[in-house]
Amino acid sequence: ILGTFHFDDAGLDGYKPKHRLDLLSSRRQQEVAALLDSLARFRPNKIAVEWRSEQQAALDAEFARYLAGSEGSVGPNEIYQLGFRLARRLGHKRIHAVDARERPEFKIVHTTEQLIQQAGSLGQDDLIERGTKWAQWYEDLDRWEDELKTKQSLLEHLRLKNSPEYIRHSLSRYLVAEFEVGGGADFTGADWRTARYNRNLRIFSNLLRVRTA
């Protein structure tokens, strides 16, 4: 599994990138080519991308149009720059859509302010203080990584993002501070994170299905 940042970020995540890369520039296209060379040596026999699984037919049509066109006919999105181009190089006839929505009842919407209020009502003032510090720590990490991608090659940056240490830091943000809000029969914090993990598990389920597709 290759973890990437969004090459053409739509600003849908909590942190809004301040630095954008021109993936279609000559320099970055050379870096994409080097990255594709590395991935091609792995020789994956199937490629899956973050595309809604119920829209597989649309992905099939999009990939067919790409195969019928030129190598440079795709935009900067990582699905195209990595998924489509690698599949074409390896002679794949299909790319697999594995993205999923969380179950609707798991999509519990709380703002940070609401969680702070809930923690305060439960007497978790120490958690509020700790949570503020953790939030700042991860905001600093996001800013650092956002700027760093402008200084590293794509290969260097994706090596960092896929390193065990970085993955631990990235995932641990969901298990501190807000996650702990609650007590007794109150699981406000854990429930707030349920939607994300449900989506991740559904995507993993789709990946397992790809094995026999």
Side-chain angles (χ1 to χ4, degrees):
I1 295 176
L2 176 69
T4 76
F5 60 99
H6 291 300
F7 290 180
D8 188 26
D9 198 289
L12 300 179
D13 294 322
Y15 177 79
K16 314 301 180 189
K18 308 298 187 296
H19 304 277
R20 290 189 174 274
L21 301 184
D22 182 3
L23 263 293
L24 301 182
S25 69
S26 175
R27 172 197 165 191
R28 293 300 183 180
Q29 281 299 293
Q30 290 176 2
E31 294 176 359
V32 169
L35 181 55
L36 289 170
D37 287 343
S38 294
L39 295 174
R41 286 195 290 273
F42 178 67
R43 298 201 64 79
N45 55 12
K46 292 180 181 178
I47 294 173
V49 296
E50 189 180 359
W51 188 295
R52 289 282 166 77
S53 58
E54 67 270 20
Q55 297 173 0
Q56 179 69 54
L59 178 60
D60 291 341
E62 186 83 354
F63 186 52
R65 281 193 293 271
Y66 166 67
L67 292 179
S70 65
E71 176 70 14
S73 64
V74 293
N77 187 292
E78 65 276 7
I79 291 175
Y80 299 107
Q81 288 294 317
L82 299 184
F84 277 35
R85 291 178 65 179
L86 183 61
R88 182 176 196 161
R89 177 185 295 200
L90 297 176
H92 291 198
K93 303 303 181 185
R94 194 181 208 201
I95 292 178
H96 300 272
V98 296
D99 194 15
R101 288 188 175 93
E102 68 280 349
R103 287 182 61 176
E105 61 268 35
F106 287 167
K107 192 172 180 60
I108 301 168
V109 180
H110 290 300
T111 65
T112 300
E113 290 73 21
Q114 288 173 320
L115 286 169
I116 290 175
Q117 290 175 2
Q118 181 69 358
S121 70
L122 294 170
Q124 296 177 312
D125 294 336
D126 63 323
L127 178 56
I128 295 173
E129 182 179 354
R130 235 176 341 109
T132 301
K133 291 179 179 178
W134 274 117
Q136 185 60 58
W137 193 90
Y138 278 109
E139 175 120 359
D140 291 343
L141 178 66
D142 287 335
R143 280 203 202 95
W144 172 78
E145 189 273 327
D146 186 22
E147 183 178 2
L148 185 64
K149 76 187 181 194
T150 68
K151 301 175 181 178
Q152 293 182 311
S153 71
L154 287 176
L155 191 56
E156 290 170 335
H157 197 61
L158 293 187
R159 278 176 177 158
L160 168 71
K161 289 187 72 68
N162 287 271
S163 67
E165 183 178 11
Y166 186 91
I167 291 172
R168 280 199 304 274
H169 284 319
S170 180
L171 293 180
S172 64
R173 73 175 65 202
Y174 304 109
L175 298 174
V176 295
E178 296 98 333
F179 181 81
E180 300 175 65
V181 174
D186 186 324
F187 297 97
T188 299
D191 289 346
W192 191 48
R193 291 302 186 192
T194 295
R196 183 175 185 88
Y197 281 98
N198 180 248
R199 180 186 174 213
N200 287 342
L201 288 171
R202 285 182 162 204
I203 292 172
F204 183 59
S205 177
N206 282 335
L207 282 169
L208 294 180
R209 295 171 186 178
V210 164
R211 294 181 306 174
T212 57

